[in-house]
Amino acid sequence: MPNTPAATSAIIPSPAPGHAEGVSNDEFRAAMSRLASGVVLVTAQEPPLDPDDPTAPGGEDVGMTATAFMSVSLDPPLVLVSLREGSRMDELLEEQELWAVSVLSESQRHIAGRFAMKGRVSDRLLFADIPYTRGEYTDAPLVGGALAVLECRTEQRVPAGDHTLVIGRVLTARVPSAEGGPLAYFRGRYRQLG
């Protein structure tokens, strides 16, 4: 009889409470905080309440800070942003297909913090003292001094756990500012490279 090694069994950790796969929220958050990412401001314009009534209030600009943003494809040019399911931006981009992204510079930490805070004031007040132009196709705010600005049209929405992955076709891409480095997010804080 040939000499064969004893069978080995995989050691599977016991599942963490609430997660069948064995990873707790804290463990997952701690591991992913070690991945540095860029910081962007995603913006869109809410449609008017009643587009047929010229006296009805116009739509408001909406913005949110995102670190889960990436390039997906060069041909066609596609990007992806991850939105918390049920957030104001998720709900808006479900009905409004046009949106924009401003890649924030290291000097724009205050903008990232302002649009990331919980229990914040209205978006109208958040945009009040930030220099921006309006996108040619989206009419969404494009932050002045950003390292790059893109205008996008939603191509696909993919439910993913407690988030929605929004894949957008890039309609315009400009690099208005070559000054400074990117704003990064690492270990739960905004950082500068270098």
Side-chain angles (χ1 to χ4, degrees), residues 85-145:
E85 184 182 29
S87 67
R88 184 169 183 202
M89 187 63 75
D90 181 41
E91 290 174 355
L92 176 56
L93 294 190
E94 190 169 20
E95 61 182 70
Q96 157 67 287
E97 65 177 7
L98 298 173
W99 45 283
V101 174
S102 298
V103 178
L104 299 181
S105 73
E106 59 193 0
S107 66
Q108 295 177 316
R109 179 186 303 217
H110 65 288
I111 295 173
R114 177 184 295 190
F115 283 90
M117 72 174 116
K118 293 183 183 351
R120 62 191 201 190
V121 296
S122 81
D123 284 60
R124 187 176 356 92
L125 295 175
L126 295 178
F127 281 105
D129 62 347
I130 296 174
Y132 64 85
T133 58
R134 294 223 170 256
E136 175 185 355
Y137 292 97
T138 63
D139 208 30
L142 303 171
V143 176

Side-chain angles (χ1 to χ4, degrees), residues 2 13 17 21 27 33-34 41 45 72-73 87 92 104 120 127 136-137 139 144 152 172 180 183 189 191:
E21 290 80 18
E27 289 167 333
S33 75
R34 283 5 184 226
L41 184 68
Q45 189 175 66
V72 173
S73 167
S87 67
L92 176 56
L104 299 181
R120 62 191 201 190
F127 281 105
E136 175 185 355
Y137 292 97
D139 208 30
C152 306
T172 65
L183 181 60
R189 294 179 49 204
R191 314 260 182 171

Side-chain angles (χ1 to χ4, degrees), residues 12-38:
I12 301 171
S14 60
H19 291 270
E21 290 80 18
V23 175
S24 73
N25 289 352
D26 290 341
E27 289 167 333
F28 182 66
R29 192 175 289 117
M32 295 311 298
S33 75
R34 283 5 184 226
L35 177 65
S37 55

Side-chain angles (χ1 to χ4, degrees), residues 68 81-86 90 158-166:
V81 66
S82 180
L83 307 174
R84 186 174 41 79
E85 184 182 29
D90 181 41
V158 180
D162 58 3
H163 278 64
T164 303
L165 305 179
V166 179

